[in-house]
Amino acid sequence: MTTIRTRIAPSPTGFLHLGTARTALYSWAYARHHGGQFVLRIEDTDVARSTQDSVEQILASMKWLGLDADEGPIYQMQRLERYQEVIDGMIEAGTAYRCYCTPEELDAMKAAQEARGEKRRYDGTWRPEAGKTLPAIPADVKPVVRFKNPAAGDVSWDDLVKGPITINNKEIDDLIIQRTDGVPTYNFAVVVDDWDMRITHVFRGDEHVNNTPWQINIFNALNAPLPRFGHLPVILGDDGAKLSKRRGAVSVTAYEDDGYLPEAMLNYLSRLGWSHGDDELFTREQLVSWFDGTHLNKSPAQWDPAKLEWVNGQYIKQADDARLAALVAVQLAKRGITADAAKLTPMCALFKDRCATTVVLADWLAMYFAPVTPSAEDLAAQVTDATKPAIATLADKLAGLAEWNKAAIQGAIKETIGAHGLKMPQLAIPVRVLVCGRAQTPSVDAVLELFDKEIVISRLRAV
Ligand code: GLU
């Protein structure tokens, strides 16, 4: 049996987009489902736009999502010799040819076609045909190499997502496969790579569906086995327009920065264009066991930030407290707040149920490590002549506690309200405002217990 081999082939011209991350996820899950292999290839032949920084960001995003590759990263620019070898072989075999048209000639060709209302295409000037005499080779023009696309017949494939697709060869022209500088173009390099890397299933974005007929023809010209292709629909923003760099945070790392957990992202991304019944929350292992390449949506998915947040909140609730503490420490450090992860651990346990991201957790837990600024309205409403004496009593009682724990704190609060004839909220709310900087928190004794005693007392005495 053939081993299933999939790949993700990002171009390092920016960060890892959500769309590419989803394609990577499906490719990875499909390979894992079948006990196959997943290859990471960096398509860096656009030398002017490819950057090392982008490569690193892509690798970091893949790592964060846990999409481990069995091979790679393999860089196309390190394979130029191999492409040259294949091109030489194709020229020899007559399936590719050198074209000496200058850019000016191509422009003139295009203008004439447009003037005639025709589709823009290469006119075949240098295409060798039986009995045809080619122009004399100009001395000073560096040629490109073109693929000699079959002139007639259909190209068909059964797309894993879209179903059967057929294109007539008359629709497509002789594509440039090697530029004048010797660098191959995408459609050619991708075929040589998918062939050499024994890729059996190609998942990629919809935007490549028009490239596939050329690629299939090149595979055939090379007598290379064809992979199956699956073209995934675009991801739309919540406004219905295509997600793009300019529309919202579309890099994977931005979500890491914004306090999302990788397993939540993985879960959410996988549901964006694929389903397993009504399951919304599932583990990575379940995804792998279910993802067999079926139930992929044909229509575009819509990015739903509120749903992603909900999914993340579910994962935060279940996450290990020490792990959350480490993530919150990073978020706090970005605000200039140094927090000890060991101290943060019980705090995460107390607050995680109400927080959808680690950023929101950090918003809460900052009060334990940095001064708080209660709002003027809260102070005016809560810290009044009626409550101030009780606040002072409580500060004294807390200062006198031999042990600093929830039960002792609760005892002090109860004694204080008893002594001052107040109801619990009449003391608890002003205490929250002064110590936490906000009027609502989880149970006040549980919240106070996690503070350094001295901080609580000084904040209560600051009125
Ligand atoms: N480098 C291409 C891209 O990033 C890869 C397309 C493919 O998977 O064939 O869109």
Side-chain angles (χ1 to χ4, degrees):
M1 230 185 77
T2 339
T3 307
I4 301 292
R5 286 175 57 92
T6 63
R7 56 29 168 219
I8 185 71
S11 303
T13 54
F15 42 64
L16 187 74
H17 295 197
L18 295 170
T20 313
R22 184 188 59 174
T23 306
L25 168 58
Y26 289 175
S27 306
W28 171 87
Y30 192 74
R32 293 286 169 267
H33 176 84
H34 290 284
Q37 284 132 23
F38 172 59
V39 178
L40 170 61
R41 180 167 79 225
I42 302 290
E43 301 206 327
D44 54 354
T45 56
D46 184 346
V47 181
R49 292 175 58 229
S50 297
T51 67
Q52 188 54 33
D53 187 47
S54 166
V55 169
E56 272 150 30
Q57 281 209 39
I58 289 169
L59 297 180
S61 299
M62 299 276 294
K63 188 166 180 221
W64 183 64
L65 288 170
L67 303 179
D68 52 317
D70 301 289
E71 287 167 34
I74 298 166
Y75 295 84
Q76 288 192 320
M77 285 307 281
Q78 292 175 7
R79 289 176 42 79
L80 295 182
E81 271 179 37
R82 170 63 180 149
Y83 304 132
Q84 190 62 56
E85 177 185 66
V86 176
I87 285 174
D88 291 346
M90 289 173 77
I91 294 178
E92 180 96 12
T95 53
Y97 61 91
R98 293 192 180 86
C99 165
Y100 294 85
C101 286
T102 60
E104 295 73 33
E105 285 169 330
L106 292 172
D107 284 347
M109 196 187 294
K110 179 182 157 201
Q113 285 165 343
E114 273 169 10
R116 291 194 299 268
E118 290 171 11
K119 203 173 145 191
R120 185 191 160 180
R121 58 186 292 136
Y122 178 62
D123 70 357
T125 304
W126 290 89
R127 179 178 165 110
E129 303 283 7
K132 172 177 167 186
T133 311
L134 294 174
I137 294 177
D140 51 351
V141 179
K142 271 195 149 186
V144 297
V145 177
R146 288 185 186 267
F147 173 57
K148 192 178 175 193
N149 198 70
D154 286 335
V155 191
S156 299
W157 77 97
D158 188 8
D159 198 273
L160 289 161
V161 182
K162 295 171 167 299
I165 298 182
T166 298
I167 304 287
N168 192 282
N169 275 318
K170 290 201 167 52
E171 303 284 317
I172 54 182
D173 63 0
D174 286 357
L175 178 85
I176 295 177
I177 58 175
Q178 188 178 37
R179 292 185 272 258
T180 52
D181 61 2
V183 177
T185 57
Y186 158 70
N187 275 302
F188 172 76
V190 80
V191 170
V192 177
D193 287 352
D194 285 340
W195 176 31
D196 285 355
M197 294 164 203
R198 305 184 316 283
I199 301 303
T200 58
H201 293 75
V202 170
F203 291 97
R204 63 184 164 208
D206 231 357
E207 69 273 20
H208 288 293
V209 74
N210 293 334
N211 289 320
T212 303
W214 273 309
Q215 294 180 21
I216 291 179
N217 285 337
I218 297 174
F219 270 105
N220 290 338
L222 294 170
N223 283 322
L226 277 179
R228 296 281 317 265
F229 296 94
H231 292 90
L232 302 159
V234 292
I235 302 176
L236 301 176
D238 50 356
D239 56 357
K242 186 175 185 274
L243 271 191
S244 73
K245 277 185 206 173
R246 282 170 296 282
R247 316 183 60 78
V250 289
S251 87
V252 171
T253 40
Y255 287 91
E256 180 180 8
D257 295 344
D258 289 350
Y260 288 82
L261 299 178
E263 62 270 37
M265 195 69 185
L266 202 82
N267 189 147
Y268 176 74
L269 272 178
S270 64
R271 278 288 288 108
L272 207 60
W274 169 82
S275 57
H276 181 267
D278 293 332
D279 291 308
E280 288 295 353
L281 297 173
F282 38 82
T283 63
R284 201 179 172 78
E285 290 70 30
Q286 283 172 312
L287 168 66
V288 166
S289 83
W290 296 336
F291 197 89
D292 60 1
T294 64
H295 300 99
L296 287 163
N297 297 350
K298 285 191 175 60
S299 47
Q302 193 146 15
W303 187 257
D304 180 350
K307 183 168 170 198
L308 171 61
E309 204 174 293
W310 175 80
V311 172
N312 203 58
Q314 302 304 309
Y315 279 93
I316 295 250
K317 272 194 209 21
Q318 298 164 19
D320 174 68
D321 299 325
R323 174 184 173 215
L324 289 177
L327 294 170
V328 172
V330 172
Q331 295 292 352
L332 289 173
K334 285 194 225 167
R335 306 172 192 195
I337 300 174
T338 311
D340 173 20
K343 278 193 171 176
L344 278 167
T345 304
M347 297 170 185
C348 289
L350 181 60
F351 286 88
K352 66 180 179 181
D353 279 359
R354 58 183 63 217
C355 298
T357 66
T358 57
V359 168
V360 179
L361 256 174
D363 291 343
W364 272 104
L365 303 186
M367 66 183 180
Y368 286 107
F369 306 94
V372 292
T373 359
S375 73
E377 299 82 65
D378 279 348
L379 286 173
Q382 301 297 336
V383 185
T384 61
D385 289 345
T387 59
K388 276 182 188 168
I391 294 168
T393 305
L394 179 66
D396 292 343
K397 284 192 185 297
L398 292 176
L401 289 180
E403 286 193 43
W404 186 250
N405 58 38
K406 199 170 143 179
I409 294 167
Q410 197 183 55
I413 294 173
K414 284 207 168 129
E415 282 171 30
T416 307
I417 57 176
H420 289 265
L422 297 176
K423 297 212 167 67
M424 183 57 123
Q426 290 174 300
L427 180 60
I429 298 176
V431 167
R432 287 184 172 108
V433 167
L434 287 170
V435 180
C436 308
R438 46 172 125 197
Q440 281 168 3
T441 70
S443 158
V444 71
D445 47 0
V447 170
L448 293 188
E449 176 192 40
L450 299 174
F451 273 96
D452 286 343
K453 181 175 168 181
E454 303 319 316
I455 292 181
V456 173
I457 292 159
S458 75
R459 287 184 191 174
L460 290 178
R461 286 186 173 154
V463 285

